[in-house]
Amino acid sequence: MTNKQIARLKLACFILALLPLIRLVAAVFLDKLGANPVEFITRNTGDWTLYLLCMTLAITPLRKLLHWPWLIRFRRMTGLFTFFYAILHFTTFLWFDHFFDWQEMWLDVLKRPFITVGFTAFVLLIPLALTSTNRMIRLLGGKFWQRLHRLVYIVAVLGVLHYTWMKAGKHDFSQPVLFGLIVALLLMLRLWWRWFGRDPVVVLK
């Protein structure tokens, strides 16, 4: 794939990653957020954080399995969009639930386990986003940078746990189970390559 084709694909991915936000803003202006607008925005931004996190984790396995080395050039973008929607998710919680009362928010984080887990995942995303540039890779050194960015695996597990706990109140585990299976598969593929150093037997036809 040529650089021009990759540039076009990256532009298309950038626009697609913005569509959930555009739809959300449109829903605000068209008054289509339902009976509980805060819950709608919170769930929407949280869902897209997880979707994009799974996409980011899927890039390396797909690159190896499909032998598409150019896919790696999309990982930074999807990772930063994951952080972007995580910021929107957290800001919704801080703004509409606590009206920027940091003390009250902190007490809520300590009191409610599913918020504790989600907040921890968000905090762990911050150094990953801040060190996503080529300059930071050079400053930190490639090996340390790679070790630091393995935090994304912890973030993924915490994110699924946060989502599962949130859905537990409604006894709806279908989506949490799906997210859990996807994250488990993506992490197991990485463990396979780390332990055995070769591709698992996968038939792609």
Side-chain angles (χ1 to χ4, degrees), residues 1 9 15 23 39 41 45 49 51 53 55 71 77 92 104 122 124 133 138 143 148 160 170 172 178 181 186-187:
M1 182 166 292
L9 268 179
I15 294 170
R23 290 180 60 190
E39 182 181 4
I41 295 171
T45 53
T49 301
Y51 295 150
L53 180 58
M55 291 178 198
L71 268 180
M77 182 191 295
T92 303
E104 184 185 341
F122 174 69
L124 291 178
T133 64
R138 290 193 297 271
K143 288 186 177 180
L148 175 65
V160 171
K170 296 188 175 182
D172 178 11
L178 179 60
L181 289 173
L186 295 173
L187 296 185

Side-chain angles (χ1 to χ4, degrees), residues 8 28 34-35 41 58 61 70 90 95 102 122 130-131 137 156 159 168 182:
R8 288 171 182 167
V28 171
I41 295 171
W70 49 269
F90 172 72
W95 184 0
W102 288 89
F122 174 69
L130 292 177
T131 58
I137 296 173
I182 291 171

